[in-house]
Amino acid sequence: MTELDLNTAVRQIKQTCENNDCPFFFVVGAGISAPEVPLAAEIVQHCKKKAIADGVPEHDDPKDPLRRYSHWFSQAYPSPKDRQQYLRSLIEGKPISHANLRLAHLLVSRKIARIVVTLNFDDFLLRALRLFGEAPLVSDHPQTLARIDLANERDIQVLHVHGVYWFYDLCNLEGEIKERAKDVDELLELILWNRSPIVVGYSGWEHDVVMTVLKKILNRGRLPFNLYWCCYRRNEIQRLPDWLKEHSSVRFVVPPRDGRAELRAPWRSSAASPIGLGVGAHDFPMAGVPGQGWAGAEPEGSADTLPAQRVFDRLIEAFKLDAPPLIRDPLGFLAEHIPASLPPPREDDLYRLDLVGERLRRAQILLARDEKEVQQPLARLIDAVRTARYREAIDEASAISLERLDARRLEDLLHAALQAALGLSEDPEQSLRGYQVALEAYRKLPEDKRSVLQGKGATAQRGCGIALAQLGRFEEAVAAYGKLVQDFEAATDLSARSAVAWALADKGHALVELGRLEDALAAYDQVVQRFGDARTPTLQPPVASALLGKGELLARTGDDQAALETYDDLIRRFGDASELAVASFVARALMNRAGALARTGRKTEAAAAYEEVARRLESMGDPAWHIPLGWALLSKGDTLAQLGRSQEAIAAYDDAVQRFGNATEPELQEITAWALLKKGNALADLGRIEEAHAAYGEVLDRFGTAQEPRLSGPLAWAELRRGHMFVALNQREKALGTFESVVSRFANASELTLKSPVSWAWLAKGQILSQLERHQEAMTTYQDLVAWLKGATEPELRLIAAWAGVKLGDSLAQLGRTNESRRAFSEVICRFEGASDMELQKIVAKARERLLEAGSAGAG
């Protein structure tokens, strides 16, 4: 499987287009029409909610995404006309999405493609093309397939494989989609004969017509050019079939990894809970996998995604496309095109149609005369935004003197700078500059204009706060959010009110980063007090975000009971939400609630809560939830194991392996590795040593050569545990080799997650050597371990260091080096005698006992 970043993919596409005439065609799905039209997962949630309210059993919920969509859609809207009317209610009257406008811009240029295959029911692309002066050829039914002429090198052609919302014969159920595939597949095969697809905004349902034909073509051999599949999230690749992922012609264009977002993932803290090491007992304590904490509430927009508009933006920028004529010169465009549509002039022309073109030309001349020096940089700015040259746009915007702009031009500057900043959201330094210019322009506007544009001004102010937070400048971010609340708290504009609500929630998140926890709680409470009862959909996500942040902050301060009450409040308010923006906060609250139940000793309730989390995440039908789903299953298994229900824990771990065992994404591979490791531990607890040994071996067989850092932890622990199984099977030489392997492979690691298993393996190696009466080697091993752990402050490592010191003293005694032995015991006592930890106190007591024994032996 080949993964590319967006810049590399765009460069390759451009190189291909330089040598070939329109070598690609676009395959587009719902992702290019969001958020104006809900995505499939949101439609499923709505339809499921409606169907259940109508009496449909909830338990009948297919796992396959297409079947699930088809099932709930048909249950909620049984007849074709009902379904068509529902889709019409979602689409009709909605503005054209930015991504569709950008795609139309690319098509008008005829640099990359002239053909689009769309699985969408909306007419956004057709409207955008007509807006830009194109009259595309359209096929939206098998009986109109002949309209698509592959030899036509002039016209843009759009194939709606599932139909358009205008008619009830559109296809949206599984059976209908399969039937339509039979009609369309021959045409798609012909399209693929000398073109390759660029796939954007499409999730790749296995039985869809596009996937059916792609499978057939790819199984025959290579495509003429590489296929570029743009993934909104990295883990979307997981749900795609192997025949696609493993083909040499396919390139997956993925967003960058966001390590910061991963560290904030709340589900990890409970999933990587300590695991018992079971058998292989020694006379020193054993430890498990340490938990991984969470740095605070995840700010909106930090997810590592690749939106469709960004893909099209980069292509427009790379190909240096001019703005479409209608946008660049509206009057000139109309002066050219309208007269061509008028009938020939006649003497008795009732409407004097001949004057239309003449007046347009005169208006064009007058407008050109009106262009002044101050307008030129603003025109360059607007043109840069139109052609996705956002960095250049921000440079232009920053250079404009606001003092010379009237209200209309200030408004133009506000819109353009804001769009440029939003287009560079992945570059906070640049986007901050854009938001600041937009905000300055807004503040320069007359009062009456500002009141109309409150939403834009609030968006620019919040953008400043988000960019500052992304840059780690949290004090400034807090000030920016506070200023937004101060300036817009009396706003009546809905988007401005939404920005105020988000600003308070974001302020709370930033205050957490600064350690100002009481202030953060106050900010979260303000959101709930001011907007908690709002029924407006745009105000619900910030309220949910604030409640989640408050709950996690309370848990962080050790007040799990108050955290549970807060999570329950969030779930009570929004538990039935179908909008993914809110449902995501509910899912995280459920996960955190389960963790809090486990921490407060309510483990039976916690196990049931993790089961509920897994059920909800699965029901969302979105691959974005695969990772938290996997951690929920692990947490469920951990909790069951702690309850002594080892067999049920094994089933939970097996469930995770079954779901994600073939995944290629590192995040899901990590889940598989931990699941196998924990399964081995549960088997060991049941005394099923050989099965446990096999589970640990499977971790090493699957991932032993992996270089991904996140897999190092489970690999180190699996190898350590396999060594313990060799000890339990009385195969000490094999155990010794295994412990040595852990030390040699992972001893240079600095992370605690690796220092812990390395230390235990080092200690176990020394003990095996002692049991084999290889005391000189044992002594050297313990000396090395004591030196390696010198200065360690982590409780677990201090415990191991103390045991290593005692074992070193024992080895020296065995070698007859009594004075050195007494010195080793004394060093343990001196270093750890003031420790409050009970286990350390026991080790110190053992060192005193050994010291006395060594003294008696020396006296004798």
Side-chain angles (χ1 to χ4, degrees):
M1 183 174 65
T2 304
E3 295 184 7
L4 303 176
D5 62 80
L6 179 57
N7 290 335
T8 301
V10 167
R11 185 178 68 250
Q12 291 184 6
I13 291 169
K14 189 170 185 290
Q15 288 173 341
T16 301
C17 291
E18 286 171 352
N19 300 317
N20 303 274
D21 177 39
C22 287
F24 297 101
F25 68 100
F26 285 101
V27 174
V28 296
I32 76 164
S33 295
E36 280 71 14
V37 177
L39 296 170
E42 293 176 276
I43 291 175
V44 168
Q45 290 297 314
H46 168 85
C47 291
K48 180 178 178 181
K49 186 175 180 180
K50 181 181 184 301
I52 291 172
D54 292 340
V56 177
E58 183 177 3
H59 61 79
D60 190 11
D61 196 358
K63 291 185 179 181
D64 178 80
L66 176 55
R67 289 197 175 98
R68 192 162 181 276
Y69 175 86
S70 177
H71 171 76
W72 290 114
F73 206 164
S74 63
Q75 294 295 330
Y77 300 98
S79 72
K81 188 67 177 176
D82 289 336
R83 293 191 288 274
Q84 182 251 334
Q85 289 175 342
Y86 170 65
L87 289 173
R88 186 167 191 157
S89 72
L90 297 179
I91 297 167
E92 195 167 57
K94 296 292 179 66
I96 304 170
S97 70
H98 287 161
N100 271 285
L101 288 166
R102 287 306 202 198
L103 177 55
H105 190 168
L106 284 166
L107 292 168
V108 168
S109 74
R110 293 169 170 78
K111 294 284 184 71
I112 301 174
R114 286 186 287 264
I115 297 174
V116 178
V117 174
T118 175
L119 297 103
N120 296 340
F121 302 121
D122 63 73
D123 60 348
F124 291 171
L125 180 58
L126 306 182
R127 288 163 55 193
L129 286 167
R130 290 168 185 145
L131 183 67
F132 292 162
E134 292 289 338
L137 302 180
V138 182
S139 171
D140 57 12
H141 190 275
Q143 294 182 2
T144 64
L145 290 177
R147 295 176 183 172
I148 304 297
D149 179 6
L150 302 186
N152 184 340
E153 297 183 356
R154 183 187 65 180
D155 296 306
I156 295 169
Q157 304 182 72
V158 180
L159 174 59
H160 276 271
V161 294
H162 294 161
V164 182
Y165 78 92
W166 303 323
F167 310 108
Y168 71 85
D169 58 3
L170 50 80
C171 299
N172 46 37
L173 303 186
E174 181 183 11
E176 297 168 348
I177 289 171
K178 289 181 178 178
E179 283 299 314
R180 181 62 57 92
K182 297 175 183 177
D183 299 313
V184 181
D185 62 355
E186 184 177 348
L187 175 58
L188 282 177
E189 285 189 54
L190 291 173
I191 294 174
L192 282 159
W193 184 255
N194 58 2
R195 304 168 185 83
S196 288
I198 298 173
V199 182
V200 185
Y202 173 53
S203 58
W205 283 351
E206 180 80 35
H207 304 296
D208 208 343
V209 56
V210 171
M211 297 296 279
T212 302
V213 175
L214 268 180
K215 182 176 182 180
K216 187 187 303 184
I217 295 296
L218 291 177
N219 284 342
R220 291 177 186 170
R222 293 185 177 181
L223 292 174
F225 311 101
N226 287 336
L227 183 162
Y228 294 91
W229 190 294
C230 301
C231 300
Y232 181 68
R233 293 186 180 91
R234 277 182 166 269
N235 64 343
E236 285 182 0
I237 300 175
Q238 163 64 20
R239 68 186 295 175
L240 296 173
D242 289 341
W243 57 260
L244 181 68
K245 291 188 285 190
E246 296 172 2
H247 199 279
S248 60
S249 293
V250 179
R251 305 289 184 268
F252 291 99
V253 187
V254 296
R257 297 188 189 278
D258 184 357
R260 294 171 303 165
E262 181 187 336
L263 287 175
R264 286 188 293 266
W267 40 82
R268 296 179 60 88
S269 60
S270 56
S273 57
I275 54 176
L277 292 180
V279 298
H282 304 282
D283 64 348
F284 50 85
M286 287 296 197
V289 178
Q292 299 180 16
W294 183 50
E298 182 176 354
E300 186 191 30
S302 68
D304 40 354
T305 59
L306 182 60
Q309 184 187 335
R310 189 178 302 163
V311 175
F312 298 143
D313 280 348
R314 294 296 182 269
L315 287 168
I316 290 170
E317 183 181 24
F319 281 84
K320 296 181 170 58
L321 302 186
D322 291 331
L326 172 65
I327 308 302
R328 187 172 62 251
D329 180 13
L331 288 174
F333 178 85
L334 294 173
E336 178 182 349
H337 283 79
I338 288 183
S341 302
L342 298 176
R346 48 185 290 182
E347 292 183 3
D348 59 344
D349 183 353
L350 183 64
Y351 289 100
R352 291 302 308 272
L353 295 173
D354 59 310
L355 294 179
V356 174
E358 180 183 337
R359 288 180 175 177
L360 282 170
R361 283 187 289 274
R362 287 174 59 196
Q364 185 183 14
I365 293 168
L366 290 172
L367 182 62
R369 289 176 182 170
D370 189 48
E371 291 289 341
K372 299 178 181 178
E373 179 183 348
V374 71
Q375 180 69 3
Q376 291 174 359
L378 190 57
R380 290 195 299 270
L381 162 63
I382 293 170
D383 187 63
V385 172
R386 288 167 175 166
T387 53
R389 293 177 285 120
Y390 295 132
R391 285 178 174 78
E392 184 180 329
I394 289 174
D395 288 340
E396 291 284 357
S398 301
I400 293 174
S401 173
L402 274 62
E403 303 300 329
R404 305 179 64 186
L405 301 182
D406 58 20
R408 182 175 65 82
R409 291 189 173 100
L410 282 169
E411 186 175 343
D412 288 343
L413 175 59
L414 165 61
H415 285 290
L418 191 56
Q419 284 299 325
L422 291 167
L424 287 174
S425 57
E426 76 279 14
D427 185 345
E429 287 278 7
Q430 291 297 320
S431 64
L432 177 60
R433 293 176 62 211
Y435 288 128
Q436 288 171 335
V437 172
L439 193 56
E440 289 175 25
Y442 174 78
R443 289 171 176 164
K444 285 282 185 181
L445 285 167
E447 175 60 33
D448 59 331
K449 282 287 187 183
R450 287 205 305 274
S451 63
V452 174
L453 296 170
Q454 286 176 337
K456 298 291 183 183
T459 299
Q461 181 72 65
R462 183 175 179 234
C464 289
I466 290 173
L468 288 164
Q470 288 173 332
L471 292 168
R473 294 158 60 179
F474 295 110
E475 288 284 5
E476 295 170 82
V478 167
Y481 296 136
K483 179 65 173 169
L484 191 161
V485 174
Q486 177 184 330
D487 290 350
F488 295 96
E489 62 180 344
T492 55
D493 178 88
L494 180 57
S495 60
R497 291 185 67 215
S498 175
V500 169
W502 270 119
L504 286 168
D506 292 339
K507 180 181 177 181
H509 304 331
L511 286 165
V512 170
E513 296 287 349
L514 291 168
R516 294 164 56 184
L517 306 187
E518 290 296 328
D519 292 340
L521 284 173
Y524 292 141
D525 285 339
Q526 269 193 282
V527 182
V528 180
Q529 290 164 7
R530 294 182 59 172
F531 304 101
D533 296 328
R535 292 292 173 261
T536 307
T538 56
L539 291 174
Q540 292 178 349
V543 173
S545 177
L547 284 168
L548 181 70
K550 177 181 178 180
E552 287 165 343
L553 177 52
L554 290 166
R556 175 176 170 177
T557 59
D559 193 348
D560 280 314
Q561 187 55 47
L564 279 169
E565 293 171 3
T566 305
Y567 297 140
D568 287 339
D569 187 15
L570 193 162
I571 295 162
R572 177 182 57 78
R573 291 171 184 266
F574 306 115
D576 295 329
S578 57
E579 299 80 6
L580 291 182
V582 179
S584 63
F585 292 114
V586 173
R588 289 172 58 160
L590 285 164
M591 188 73 171
N592 292 344
R593 178 178 180 273
L597 286 168
R599 288 193 300 275
T600 54
R602 298 157 64 181
K603 296 188 184 298
T604 301
E605 294 176 72
Y610 284 126
E611 177 66 31
E612 170 66 7
V613 173
R615 187 190 67 77
R616 287 214 184 202
L617 294 179
E618 185 178 45
S619 72
M620 289 183 178
D622 187 333
W625 293 103
H626 284 174
I627 294 172
L629 171 58
W631 288 114
L633 291 170
L634 293 189
S635 297
K636 174 187 172 184
D638 290 348
T639 308
L640 290 166
Q642 291 162 13
L643 287 167
R645 295 156 61 180
S646 299
Q647 199 59 54
E648 295 173 76
I650 291 168
Y653 300 140
D654 280 339
D655 191 4
V657 174
Q658 183 179 2
R659 290 172 186 271
F660 309 118
N662 295 322
T664 56
E665 291 80 354
E667 297 89 345
L668 295 174
Q669 289 182 334
E670 181 187 13
I671 288 168
T672 300
W674 282 119
L676 288 167
L677 173 67
K678 290 165 181 266
K679 176 184 177 180
N681 295 333
L683 287 165
D685 288 340
L686 292 171
R688 294 155 63 178
I689 304 304
E690 292 186 356
E691 292 175 79
H693 183 276
Y696 300 134
E698 190 173 351
V699 178
L700 301 170
D701 291 342
R702 283 176 180 253
F703 309 112
T705 60
Q707 300 300 311
E708 181 66 34
R710 71 181 65 242
L711 290 170
S712 297
L715 282 171
W717 282 106
E719 195 156 15
L720 171 65
R721 290 298 288 124
R722 190 167 69 157
H724 294 149
M725 296 305 100
F726 280 129
V727 171
L729 294 168
N730 203 29
Q731 299 178 31
R732 291 179 179 173
E733 290 291 349
K734 288 185 177 180
L736 181 61
T738 304
F739 294 138
E740 286 177 338
S741 176
V742 176
V743 174
S744 62
R745 181 172 179 182
F746 301 108
N748 292 326
S750 58
E751 302 91 337
L752 176 61
T753 50
L754 290 176
K755 277 200 165 188
S756 178
V758 168
S759 300
W760 289 119
W762 217 324
L763 197 58
K765 173 187 173 182
Q767 178 152 337
I768 296 295
L769 288 167
S770 295
Q771 292 170 353
L772 294 172
E773 298 188 358
R774 293 158 61 177
H775 299 298
Q776 183 67 40
E777 295 171 74
M779 179 204 68
T780 302
T781 298
Y782 292 132
Q783 282 179 330
D784 291 342
L785 178 56
V786 169
W788 194 68
L789 290 174
K790 186 177 182 180
T793 56
E794 298 85 355
E796 182 181 18
L797 299 185
R798 282 167 54 83
L799 193 71
I800 299 170
W803 268 115
V806 172
K807 292 297 182 181
L808 173 59
D810 289 344
S811 296
L812 288 164
Q814 288 289 337
L815 292 168
R817 296 160 64 172
T818 306
N819 289 337
E820 293 172 80
S821 172
R822 295 181 64 192
R823 190 179 307 120
F825 296 134
S826 297
E827 286 178 1
V828 173
I829 297 167
C830 180
R831 181 176 176 186
F832 301 109
E833 66 178 344
S836 59
D837 182 86
M838 291 298 296
E839 291 299 324
L840 266 178
Q841 288 179 19
K842 290 178 183 178
I843 298 171
V844 170
K846 192 173 286 291
R848 291 184 189 280
E849 179 184 325
R850 295 282 212 276
L851 182 61
L852 288 173
E853 292 172 358
S856 299

